[in-house]
Amino acid sequence: GAGVSQTPSNKVTEKGKYVELRCDPISGHTALYWYRQSLGQGPEFLIYFQGTGAADDSGLPNDRFFAVRPEGSVSTLKIQRTERGDSAVYLCASSLRSGGATDTQYFGPGTRLTVL
Amino acid sequence: GDSVTQMEGPVTLSEEAFLTINCTYTATGYPSLFWYVQYPGEGLQLLLKATKADDKGSNKGFEATYRKETTSFHLEKGSVQVSDSAVYFCALRNSGNTPLVFGKGTRLSVIA
C-alpha cells in the first residue's frame, strides 16, 4: 500500500511568512510523529499525535510552531512568522499504534523548508 | 536525557570491504534500538532493530547486536556494495509513548 506522503516536497518562503506542511500517514496508523532534520544532524522530535490529540508536544521549539490532526489521519504542521533558523527538512512518520517501544515508525520523504 | 552517539563520517570504503559503524547510547530503562538508512533522494527507512539485550537485528546483509553491558549497537556488514552508499542513523526508543532519539548520522560512500 501507499506509504507516508508529505506535501510540498520543497517550500521556499520569506522571513516572517506563515507556512503549512502536510502529512498523510499510512492508512490505519493511529500514531503520527513530526521530526525536524537540520543539515548534518539526525532528526529531532517535534510533536506526536495519538489519534486526534497531541500526546506529546515537548519538542516544539516555541509557540510559533503548531500542529493539528483534526480527524485522526492527515496532519498539518504550521509555522508562524518563519525565521531563517527554521530552515530544515521536516519529516513525518506514522506507526500502527503507539505505546510500544518496538513499534516501527515509517517515514515520509520530508518537506525541505527554506526561509530566505 | 536519552542520547545516541555514532561515529563521525564520512566513511569511504571500496566495494566488498568490511563495514563497521559504531553506535553507543545513553538511556534510562530498557530501550529498543534501531538502525535507519537514508538513500540519496529517499526518505528514512528502517534497516533493522533489536528490542532487548543480546538480540541481533539483521537485514540485507547488515547486522547489529544489542549489547547492554557496553550500551552499544554497532552496525556491521561483511561485504559492502556500491548500492549501500547512504546515510545511516542509529536510534533508540524508550518504553512508553516516547519518540525516536537519533544519532547525527554517518555517511557511507562505497566506491567500485
Side-chain angles (χ1 to χ4, degrees):
Chain A
V4 178
S5 62
Q6 293 185 245
T7 54
S9 55
N10 278 284
K11 176 70 176 178
V12 180
T13 191
E14 294 180 342
K15 181 174 178 295
K17 299 289 189 183
Y18 168 84
V19 297
E20 290 190 351
L21 312 179
R22 176 188 167 107
C23 171
D24 262 287
I26 293 172
S27 178
H29 280 195
T30 61
L32 185 146
Y33 305 80
W34 283 99
Y35 294 83
R36 178 168 70 174
Q37 186 176 14
S38 300
L39 194 63
Q41 302 294 315
E44 294 179 326
F45 169 72
L46 294 176
I47 186 170
Y48 142 64
F49 289 88
Q50 176 57 39
T52 60
D56 182 354
D57 63 358
S58 62
L60 294 177
N62 52 60
D63 61 6
R64 296 186 297 105
F65 288 74
F66 189 71
V68 295
R69 195 186 185 200
E71 297 178 358
S73 178
V74 170
S75 176
T76 305
L77 178 66
K78 309 180 180 194
I79 311 174
Q80 299 177 321
R81 304 183 304 280
T82 52
E83 299 178 357
R84 293 194 180 87
D86 299 336
S87 297
V89 176
Y90 288 81
L91 298 171
C92 177
S94 70
S95 66
L96 188 58
R97 62 185 188 277
S98 66
T102 64
D103 289 346
T104 297
Q105 293 183 24
Y106 297 88
F107 282 80
T111 294
R112 182 176 298 278
L113 175 65
T114 303
V115 182
L116 301 177
Chain B
D2 298 344
S3 65
V4 173
T5 303
Q6 58 183 107
M7 63 188 287
E8 298 271 337
V11 174
T12 303
L13 295 174
S14 297
E15 209 165 22
E16 299 183 2
F18 184 85
L19 168 71
T20 300
I21 301 178
N22 290 337
C23 171
T24 56
Y25 67 90
T26 301
T28 56
Y30 301 95
S32 292
L33 302 175
F34 305 82
W35 277 100
Y36 276 82
V37 59
Q38 192 168 35
Y39 297 104
E42 298 184 17
L44 277 169
Q45 301 174 24
L46 178 66
L47 180 60
L48 54 84
K49 69 179 183 182
T51 59
K52 60 184 188 296
D54 299 325
D55 267 2
K56 177 186 284 188
S58 61
N59 186 25
K60 300 182 180 180
F62 291 89
E63 293 182 339
T65 301
Y66 189 140
R67 299 289 188 199
K68 188 168 183 295
E69 63 275 14
T70 54
T71 61
S72 65
F73 193 54
H74 304 322
L75 183 68
E76 296 183 335
K77 186 175 186 182
S79 176
V80 293
Q81 305 299 312
V82 172
S83 57
D84 294 326
S85 298
V87 182
Y88 292 82
F89 292 92
C90 185
L92 69 81
R93 188 175 184 205
N94 228 321
S95 58
N97 299 342
T98 56
L100 287 163
V101 176
F102 286 88
K104 291 186 176 183
T106 303
R107 180 176 299 278
L108 170 67
S109 295
V110 181
I111 55 178

